[in-house]
Amino acid sequence: VVVVTPTASGKTLCYNLPVIQSIMEDPNARTLYLFPTKALAQDQLAELTELSGQLGKKVQLQLGAFTYDGDTPADARKAIRTWAHVVITNPDMLHTGILPHHTRWSRFLGNLRYVIVDELHTYRGVFGSHLANLFRRLTRLCRFHGSDPTFIMSSATIANPLELAEKLIERPCVMVNQNGAPSREKTLVFYNPPV
């Protein structure tokens, strides 16, 4: 699925809600979030933690969400591999820190339900071709460990989101591009100043 709607239209909920639901239904379910920058990853971790905390007050929910990047301490990495329901990382760390060590990540990869790719529009050109190879490796290793995750990608408005998404993951995609976010009434005023 590729979700393409304007900023602040609820794209984050489009992937956070299915992730949380899958974990509630099966505590072994795992999800990989990919963000191009550390700052965005930290923002999304805070939002996911807040949402799961609010839901946790009403329903039984134990959600372990952690960032896994170059700054993650070595002693925390093993715990994240073993216990995290959600791993938030970037393409470089997926390439160098996760996929080459897939045997250590077998529990995570074998239970991977979703791969979330945010900021799809940044993965174009040469960088996009590298990412397509990375997704090819990830998909192959997931199948090796017994899973076939669903990709949920989101982007701000771009000209060819469906084509880009399908080229990146080499699978047919469904595009959601209708903005259901509420907006205030707008008044347009045309003023033609005197000559």
Side-chain angles (χ1 to χ4, degrees):
V1 175
V2 58
V3 180
V4 184
T5 58
T7 303
S9 60
K11 287 187 293 286
T12 303
L13 283 175
C14 289
Y15 52 78
N16 280 343
L17 291 178
V19 166
I20 290 172
Q21 181 177 350
S22 72
I23 294 165
M24 288 175 63
E25 292 172 355
D26 178 8
N28 290 317
R30 301 294 188 253
T31 300
L32 179 68
Y33 281 59
L34 284 176
F35 296 102
T37 65
K38 288 176 134 189
L40 186 55
Q42 290 299 325
D43 291 346
Q44 293 294 324
L45 175 62
E47 189 167 335
L48 181 61
T49 303
E50 181 184 342
L51 178 61
S52 65
Q54 291 172 356
L55 289 173
K57 294 175 186 174
K58 299 177 188 319
V59 295
Q60 183 70 22
L61 177 63
Q62 296 284 330
L63 177 76
F66 304 94
T67 56
Y68 191 87
D69 57 31
D71 293 335
T72 305
D75 56 336
R77 292 180 183 206
K78 183 177 180 184
I80 291 171
R81 282 193 303 265
T82 306
W83 301 110
H85 292 103
V86 174
V87 172
I88 301 172
T89 191
N90 55 61
D92 184 54
M93 197 63 178
L94 179 62
H95 172 65
T96 60
I98 296 175
L99 297 184
H101 311 287
H102 67 93
T103 54
R104 294 182 191 166
W105 287 86
S106 62
R107 179 177 183 200
F108 185 85
L109 293 173
N111 290 292
L112 193 61
R113 298 282 170 81
Y114 293 105
V115 176
I116 309 302
V117 181
D118 198 10
E119 303 294 321
L120 179 69
H121 56 277
T122 63
Y123 303 121
R124 298 177 305 201
V126 174
F127 185 44
S129 66
H130 288 304
L131 196 70
N133 284 323
L134 190 62
F135 288 148
R136 193 176 295 129
R137 284 175 54 209
L138 173 63
T139 302
R140 187 181 76 242
L141 288 171
C142 285
R143 288 189 182 132
F144 176 79
H145 290 285
S147 70
D148 186 21
T150 298
F151 282 77
I152 302 175
M153 298 165 280
S154 68
S155 177
T157 306
I158 58 174
N160 61 342
L162 187 61
E163 179 186 358
L164 177 60
E166 289 178 341
K167 282 185 177 180
L168 284 176
I169 65 169
E170 297 178 331
R171 295 183 188 182
C173 295
V174 174
M175 182 169 64
V176 177
N177 61 356
Q178 293 178 332
N179 182 8
S183 62
R184 293 179 28 188
E185 184 178 314
K186 294 177 180 71
T187 302
L188 298 177
V189 177
F190 291 94
Y191 174 70
N192 189 9
V195 177

